[in-house]
Amino acid sequence: MVYAADNHAYCVQCFAQKYNPKCAGCMETLVDTCLLALDRHWHPRCFTCSSCNRPLPNGEFYLVDDKPYDLDCHWAKRLEKREHMEKGER
C-alpha cells in the first residue's frame, strides 16, 4: 500500500514514521491500534496501571493523583490515601 503526502509517495512504515504520533509509553511510532488517554497516544500494551503495571483493559482507567489505575489498584490507592489522611500525613 502506498500513501501520498507532500507530493511524495510513502510506504506505510515511512508514512507512519513521518506523520504518526509516538507512543507516550515506549516512544515508538504508532502504526496500528492506539489509545488516546491523558492527552497522549499509547499502544494498548503500553498504557498500564501505575501500581501493578498491567495493561488497562480497553483503555478503562481510574485517576488518583493524575495517574491511571485499574479498578482494584484504584480502590487500594484510595484506601491508602485515606489512611494517610486520617493519620495526618500527606
Side-chain angles (χ1 to χ4, degrees):
M1 183 171 251
V2 176
Y3 289 93
D6 299 332
N7 294 323
H8 294 91
Y10 295 94
C11 69
V12 173
Q13 286 301 110
C14 291
F15 183 88
Q17 192 69 29
K18 186 166 183 165
Y19 295 103
N20 289 10
K22 301 223 183 292
C23 174
C26 68
M27 301 310 295
E28 291 180 11
T29 300
L30 293 161
V31 177
D32 295 320
T33 303
C34 72
L35 297 171
L36 178 59
L38 305 176
D39 295 325
R40 300 188 305 188
H41 293 87
W42 308 79
H43 288 111
R45 70 178 181 275
C46 295
F47 188 57
T48 60
C49 174
S50 291
S51 183
C52 67
N53 294 316
R54 288 183 292 203
L56 294 161
N58 301 317
E60 294 176 19
F61 63 96
Y62 303 86
L63 283 177
V64 179
D65 297 329
D66 296 324
K67 295 180 182 175
Y69 293 89
D70 64 20
L71 183 60
D72 292 336
C73 293
H74 160 256
W75 286 115
K77 186 67 174 175
R78 288 191 58 183
L79 180 59
E80 177 186 311
K81 285 180 61 93
R82 183 177 181 175
E83 290 171 352
H84 285 295
M85 288 175 65
E86 289 173 353
K87 292 179 183 178
E89 299 172 0
R90 286 186 164 219

